[in-house]
Amino acid sequence: MTIRDSSVLMMENGGSCLPCTPDEERQIVQDLKNQSDLDLKEGNLYFLISTRWYRSWERYVCGDEPSIDNISFDSPHMNGVSSKRAERPGPIDNSDIIQNGNGSSEGDDLEVRRNLEEGQDYVLVPQQVWEKLFCWYKGGPALPRKMISEGIVNEKRVEVFLLCLKLIDSRDNSQTVIRLSKKASTRQLYEKVCKLRGIEQEKARIWDYFNKQRSTSPLDVSDQTLDDAMLQMDQDILLEVQVDNGISMDSTGNDLALVPIEPSRSSLTIAGGPALSNGHTTGYRFNQYPGSSFGSTFMDMDDGYDSYNTAKKGEKGGLAGLQNLGNTCFMNSALQCLVHTPDLAQYFLGDYSDEINTENPLGMHGELALAFGDLLRKLWSSGRAAVAPRAFKGKLARFAPQFSGYNQHDSQELLAFLLDGLHEDLNRVKQKPYIEMKDSGGRPDEEVANECWKNHKARNDSLIVDVFQGQYKSTLVCPVCSKVSITFDPFMYLTLPLPSTVTRTMTVTVFYANGSGLPMPFTVTLMKHGCCKDLILALSTACCLKIDEGLLLAEVYNHQIFRFFENPAELISSIKDDEHIVAYRFDRKQGGKIKLEIVNRWQEKSASDYLKGSERKLFGAPLVTYLEEEHLSGADIDIAVSKLLSPLRRTYSSAKAHGGKENGFLPEVIDELSNSHNESVETAELEDLCSRELSFQLSLTDERISSCKPIQKDSILKPGKHIKVLLDWTDEVHELYDPSYIKDLPVVHKTGFTVKKTRQEAISLFSCLDAFLTEEPLGPDDMWYCPQCKEHRQATKKLDLWMLPDVLVFHLKRFSYSRYLKNKLDTFVNFPILNLDLSKYMKSKDGESYVYDLFAISNHYGGLGGGHYTAYAKLIDENRWYHFDDSHVSPVSEGDIKTSAAYVLFYRRVKSKTKAEMAETSQAKDVSIFTPSPPEARVEELVLIINGWLVNNYVNLA
């Protein structure tokens, strides 16, 4: 990939580098992005830009808006109230996303850091946008990347991380780093290597030198891509050069044998079929799908290791690790959990060739099952030697391009794909019949459930269905016509929300609209998919609202009311955590009258320019009340303001009573305070207001505060539903009232505090299951079409467990994503290792056991976009747990497998036992077959359980 300098491209395109205003820059970039999105194709050029610099540019052109990609140019935040713009950023600075020591390189020879995450560390912009930004700001370095197509579906994505290969020259053992696109051909690799080393291409041979083991034959000079050649990130390739006598020499002068290595032979073969003979099966043949690679499957499966039977004498299988091929720990963790599933291991170690479905259009033509089966056999027969899953990763990238490349991915997402893919490759149904689904129609649940499962099995029948799939009951109720819809759906795993992800904690400040009390913040917890009505009900309970009172919700932005939440059905998901929400407590009798909003303003002054005055600024939270009169005067407004401010009145001890002028003002009202108590003064003032001038400086303004008109005592205000008034806090007002009560509104949710809290709290697996089965309204993007109303409705949904599989997989939903925020919950979930009893959750009684034992865990350590995956797996025959950390495998005590990193849990049904067997098991329960857990491990587990109970009960009591 040869890319010219961006400035040259800019000049050739005749682009203009004339200075632009921030709004013009924003509009130009947005237009160029929209234009690029209409022409997505392979080969398009994109550039990486540091998120740090790009966000500073966004703040310059967009003000307070979070991102140019999310901006709406008629957004209310962009109108009325001007957003505060940041200063113009300096030159583009990508130094924080490139690898140390590469600052002098450019383009495709420059390596970016491997742990980068899009959005968090870098953004991708089209070539035209980069050219504009470079024209305006200069800087760099330029980091161009091309869009490539991957997989059989030709999924398009930008190749951020180029394939990095370590070239070893056999003549002197020197090492050179080569960077190419994985879609580059072996011909391009030869050209680059020969140009770099100054040799003729005819004399060069390049070998796959993975794990320092030379492949059976050199790479051909062809159009085969490096991806198809299974070259991995950071692996070695070996260069041999033919000398004049036809023999290549190594660095010591010894002849290098250029004899092809004979592939290893084994009696164990793919899918348990007959042994290989010269690369061909002797017993059966597959009907090859056009374009499939069955013909090369057996060669592809060779990962540079000897035959399956490499385990040392006496060594047991299942203890081999998996090499990390470049951010593939997520794959290794998922695979170890699956290969240690007893039912899968037994199946793939046997002969499953008759069940390979090569004709299923929804499957991978059997290739995924073959690749997985071959890898499982190696892991169960290679002793403790780590296996490099190169062939499996190649198949995975071909059928699931989202897992290609060298980015970190989600182990649960891979598990979901693998289970579904293995099911389709092993589906015993060759021709799926069309089945029309029937409504429950009031029939008994047992009848409807059996019918649904029978219909499902008629189209889906495989080992995966037999072992992993269960059935749950789904009940939908229309909120308008109360139509009830009951269906029974299959599931492969259960995604359990952590209770803190199902509910939402919100802080709202409640003000008295009649001035009878001080404002007070209240924190309430409600369902995430709730509406404003739910928030009002929760606040009503928290603030002990009277039966004849109501609450008016509003958002405060820039010290003004930005919007009122007057629709009780509006979802609280529209309220962001960093917003300021208030509620005004009012008498229901006043509701619907004229709404008066008081916006507070004060004048900044210093000692030097006291008489000159200076800029007046808004501050604090606005005050809101209802007025009953239709024809209002300035005196009416003055009385209303006095009532609203009455709770803020300073006590006599803090007021300054003086006999003369102070700071040029006559404190008449403060003199009155010295002669009477506060309540008497308030009553006297209210009675005397009509016979005096206004006691406050008030101005009538419009919605945007673009104009102000002073209010006099006899001013007549035009009638309207909403009146907005500015209150200037003079020195007199400051002396009498304390503004601190209306300053510093708390945000809806302070994320930093919650993150610390979630790491300390502990919850049980049962509470997660309860949250999963709790009735909740559907989200706005998941509306249900009511057949009775003939419209989409936000129905309530309730799930119940109906039938459980032999292997039950729980996915703990630790990662949460929203438009503006990504988060991971490190909450410790206390889960049973033995005897997980789910009987109380079952709605059907099919006679099966509902007791499960844990046998595998996929763990995730660290934060979003990175971190590390490992696995715990139990060897059933040994009754012992092991820790699988990529290629490293070590025993672990049962008491140590419970951590806050647990992400996916694998349980196996405990078969029903007789009373005698149960008694025998109970007596031997604490006796380990292999090595008993140390006493300190049991004590540590008990301490964790007690701590979790204490934290939960402390939180509930608080």
mmCIF file of all heavy atoms in Angstrom, residues 243-265:
data_model
loop_
_atom_site.group_PDB
_atom_site.id
_atom_site.type_symbol
_atom_site.label_atom_id
_atom_site.label_comp_id
_atom_site.label_asym_id
_atom_site.label_seq_id
_atom_site.Cartn_x
_atom_site.Cartn_y
_atom_site.Cartn_z
ATOM 1 N N VAL A 243 22.453 -19.067 -3.460
ATOM 2 C CA VAL A 243 23.759 -18.532 -3.848
ATOM 3 C C VAL A 243 24.164 -19.153 -5.171
ATOM 4 O O VAL A 243 23.443 -19.958 -5.767
ATOM 5 C CB VAL A 243 24.803 -18.808 -2.746
ATOM 6 C CG1 VAL A 243 24.458 -18.007 -1.500
ATOM 7 C CG2 VAL A 243 24.865 -20.296 -2.410
ATOM 8 N N ASP A 244 25.362 -18.784 -5.660
ATOM 9 C CA ASP A 244 25.786 -19.188 -7.005
ATOM 10 C C ASP A 244 25.835 -20.690 -7.182
ATOM 11 O O ASP A 244 25.525 -21.218 -8.259
ATOM 12 C CB ASP A 244 27.159 -18.588 -7.317
ATOM 13 C CG ASP A 244 27.080 -17.067 -7.418
ATOM 14 O OD1 ASP A 244 25.961 -16.557 -7.674
ATOM 15 O OD2 ASP A 244 28.106 -16.405 -7.215
ATOM 16 N N ASN A 245 26.248 -21.445 -6.128
ATOM 17 C CA ASN A 245 26.342 -22.901 -6.273
ATOM 18 C C ASN A 245 25.023 -23.597 -6.029
ATOM 19 O O ASN A 245 24.961 -24.811 -5.957
ATOM 20 C CB ASN A 245 27.412 -23.453 -5.322
ATOM 21 C CG ASN A 245 27.080 -23.151 -3.863
ATOM 22 O OD1 ASN A 245 26.058 -22.532 -3.571
ATOM 23 N ND2 ASN A 245 27.960 -23.589 -2.959
ATOM 24 N N GLY A 246 23.946 -22.793 -5.865
ATOM 25 C CA GLY A 246 22.613 -23.383 -5.724
ATOM 26 C C GLY A 246 22.261 -23.787 -4.328
ATOM 27 O O GLY A 246 21.215 -24.364 -4.103
ATOM 28 N N ILE A 247 23.139 -23.498 -3.349
ATOM 29 C CA ILE A 247 22.874 -23.886 -1.968
ATOM 30 C C ILE A 247 22.808 -22.625 -1.118
ATOM 31 O O ILE A 247 23.677 -21.777 -1.168
ATOM 32 C CB ILE A 247 23.972 -24.828 -1.424
ATOM 33 C CG1 ILE A 247 24.061 -26.079 -2.303
ATOM 34 C CG2 ILE A 247 23.708 -25.191 0.029
ATOM 35 C CD1 ILE A 247 25.186 -26.998 -1.912
ATOM 36 N N SER A 248 21.784 -22.533 -0.315
ATOM 37 C CA SER A 248 21.646 -21.395 0.591
ATOM 38 C C SER A 248 22.389 -21.704 1.874
ATOM 39 O O SER A 248 22.355 -22.832 2.366
ATOM 40 C CB SER A 248 20.172 -21.130 0.887
ATOM 41 O OG SER A 248 20.039 -20.056 1.763
ATOM 42 N N MET A 249 23.066 -20.712 2.410
ATOM 43 C CA MET A 249 23.877 -20.900 3.609
ATOM 44 C C MET A 249 23.261 -20.131 4.768
ATOM 45 O O MET A 249 22.717 -19.050 4.593
ATOM 46 C CB MET A 249 25.303 -20.402 3.368
ATOM 47 C CG MET A 249 25.933 -20.935 2.081
ATOM 48 S SD MET A 249 26.246 -22.696 2.119
ATOM 49 C CE MET A 249 27.611 -22.736 3.268
ATOM 50 N N ASP A 250 23.381 -20.715 5.978
ATOM 51 C CA ASP A 250 22.934 -19.967 7.132
ATOM 52 C C ASP A 250 24.082 -19.107 7.644
ATOM 53 O O ASP A 250 25.143 -19.026 7.040
ATOM 54 C CB ASP A 250 22.396 -20.903 8.222
ATOM 55 C CG ASP A 250 23.467 -21.815 8.798
ATOM 56 O OD1 ASP A 250 24.659 -21.560 8.527
ATOM 57 O OD2 ASP A 250 23.102 -22.751 9.539
ATOM 58 N N SER A 251 23.917 -18.461 8.772
ATOM 59 C CA SER A 251 24.904 -17.500 9.265
ATOM 60 C C SER A 251 26.207 -18.155 9.672
ATOM 61 O O SER A 251 27.239 -17.509 9.772
ATOM 62 C CB SER A 251 24.332 -16.733 10.468
ATOM 63 O OG SER A 251 23.951 -17.643 11.492
ATOM 64 N N THR A 252 26.202 -19.479 9.880
ATOM 65 C CA THR A 252 27.430 -20.170 10.272
ATOM 66 C C THR A 252 28.115 -20.815 9.083
ATOM 67 O O THR A 252 29.132 -21.463 9.225
ATOM 68 C CB THR A 252 27.113 -21.252 11.316
ATOM 69 O OG1 THR A 252 26.205 -22.201 10.752
ATOM 70 C CG2 THR A 252 26.460 -20.642 12.545
ATOM 71 N N GLY A 253 27.523 -20.707 7.897
ATOM 72 C CA GLY A 253 28.105 -21.296 6.713
ATOM 73 C C GLY A 253 27.641 -22.693 6.435
ATOM 74 O O GLY A 253 28.096 -23.336 5.500
ATOM 75 N N ASN A 254 26.716 -23.240 7.247
ATOM 76 C CA ASN A 254 26.206 -24.599 7.041
ATOM 77 C C ASN A 254 25.150 -24.600 5.956
ATOM 78 O O ASN A 254 24.405 -23.646 5.787
ATOM 79 C CB ASN A 254 25.606 -25.144 8.340
ATOM 80 C CG ASN A 254 26.656 -25.275 9.434
ATOM 81 O OD1 ASN A 254 27.798 -25.637 9.160
ATOM 82 N ND2 ASN A 254 26.266 -24.948 10.669
ATOM 83 N N ASP A 255 25.113 -25.715 5.222
ATOM 84 C CA ASP A 255 24.092 -25.872 4.192
ATOM 85 C C ASP A 255 22.709 -25.941 4.839
ATOM 86 O O ASP A 255 22.516 -26.576 5.870
ATOM 87 C CB ASP A 255 24.325 -27.144 3.374
ATOM 88 C CG ASP A 255 25.613 -27.054 2.579
ATOM 89 O OD1 ASP A 255 26.163 -25.930 2.531
ATOM 90 O OD2 ASP A 255 26.035 -28.088 2.046
ATOM 91 N N LEU A 256 21.718 -25.296 4.216
ATOM 92 C CA LEU A 256 20.333 -25.390 4.658
ATOM 93 C C LEU A 256 19.617 -26.419 3.806
ATOM 94 O O LEU A 256 19.572 -26.305 2.582
ATOM 95 C CB LEU A 256 19.625 -24.031 4.536
ATOM 96 C CG LEU A 256 20.043 -22.984 5.570
ATOM 97 C CD1 LEU A 256 19.415 -21.650 5.206
ATOM 98 C CD2 LEU A 256 19.607 -23.403 6.957
ATOM 99 N N ALA A 257 19.114 -27.431 4.446
ATOM 100 C CA ALA A 257 18.409 -28.484 3.712
ATOM 101 C C ALA A 257 17.076 -27.952 3.224
ATOM 102 O O ALA A 257 16.258 -27.509 4.005
ATOM 103 C CB ALA A 257 18.207 -29.699 4.615
ATOM 104 N N LEU A 258 16.864 -27.974 1.907
ATOM 105 C CA LEU A 258 15.619 -27.499 1.323
ATOM 106 C C LEU A 258 14.738 -28.676 0.960
ATOM 107 O O LEU A 258 14.163 -28.748 -0.110
ATOM 108 C CB LEU A 258 15.910 -26.646 0.085
ATOM 109 C CG LEU A 258 16.808 -25.438 0.322
ATOM 110 C CD1 LEU A 258 16.983 -24.653 -0.970
ATOM 111 C CD2 LEU A 258 16.225 -24.544 1.386
ATOM 112 N N VAL A 259 14.661 -29.643 1.878
ATOM 113 C CA VAL A 259 13.863 -30.840 1.636
ATOM 114 C C VAL A 259 12.500 -30.653 2.287
ATOM 115 O O VAL A 259 12.420 -30.328 3.465
ATOM 116 C CB VAL A 259 14.560 -32.087 2.228
ATOM 117 C CG1 VAL A 259 13.731 -33.332 1.974
ATOM 118 C CG2 VAL A 259 15.955 -32.223 1.642
ATOM 119 N N PRO A 260 11.416 -30.852 1.522
ATOM 120 C CA PRO A 260 10.088 -30.703 2.118
ATOM 121 C C PRO A 260 9.892 -31.655 3.296
ATOM 122 O O PRO A 260 10.348 -32.799 3.257
ATOM 123 C CB PRO A 260 9.134 -31.037 0.970
ATOM 124 C CG PRO A 260 9.944 -30.817 -0.267
ATOM 125 C CD PRO A 260 11.358 -31.160 0.087
ATOM 126 N N ILE A 261 9.213 -31.183 4.318
ATOM 127 C CA ILE A 261 8.939 -32.008 5.489
ATOM 128 C C ILE A 261 7.680 -32.821 5.243
ATOM 129 O O ILE A 261 6.655 -32.282 4.854
ATOM 130 C CB ILE A 261 8.771 -31.115 6.732
ATOM 131 C CG1 ILE A 261 10.064 -30.317 6.967
ATOM 132 C CG2 ILE A 261 8.419 -31.932 7.960
ATOM 133 C CD1 ILE A 261 9.944 -29.310 8.096
ATOM 134 N N GLU A 262 7.760 -34.120 5.498
ATOM 135 C CA GLU A 262 6.610 -35.002 5.295
ATOM 136 C C GLU A 262 5.558 -34.714 6.354
ATOM 137 O O GLU A 262 5.866 -34.669 7.543
ATOM 138 C CB GLU A 262 7.046 -36.467 5.392
ATOM 139 C CG GLU A 262 5.924 -37.468 5.157
ATOM 140 C CD GLU A 262 5.481 -37.493 3.710
ATOM 141 O OE1 GLU A 262 6.221 -36.984 2.855
ATOM 142 O OE2 GLU A 262 4.386 -38.032 3.447
ATOM 143 N N PRO A 263 4.302 -34.483 5.976
ATOM 144 C CA PRO A 263 3.254 -34.257 6.974
ATOM 145 C C PRO A 263 3.116 -35.451 7.905
ATOM 146 O O PRO A 263 3.290 -36.596 7.495
ATOM 147 C CB PRO A 263 1.983 -34.067 6.131
ATOM 148 C CG PRO A 263 2.482 -33.702 4.772
ATOM 149 C CD PRO A 263 3.793 -34.391 4.603
ATOM 150 N N SER A 264 2.812 -35.137 9.162
ATOM 151 C CA SER A 264 2.687 -36.204 10.150
ATOM 152 C C SER A 264 1.463 -37.057 9.837
ATOM 153 O O SER A 264 0.475 -36.591 9.314
ATOM 154 C CB SER A 264 2.562 -35.603 11.556
ATOM 155 O OG SER A 264 1.475 -34.726 11.595
ATOM 156 N N ARG A 265 1.578 -38.314 10.179
ATOM 157 C CA ARG A 265 0.481 -39.250 9.971
ATOM 158 C C ARG A 265 -0.158 -39.570 11.315
ATOM 159 O O ARG A 265 0.489 -39.570 12.348
ATOM 160 C CB ARG A 265 0.982 -40.552 9.325
ATOM 161 C CG ARG A 265 1.737 -40.319 8.021
ATOM 162 C CD ARG A 265 0.815 -39.827 6.920
ATOM 163 N NE ARG A 265 1.546 -39.509 5.700
ATOM 164 C CZ ARG A 265 1.830 -40.406 4.769
ATOM 165 N NH1 ARG A 265 1.499 -41.670 4.933
ATOM 166 N NH2 ARG A 265 2.470 -40.038 3.676
#
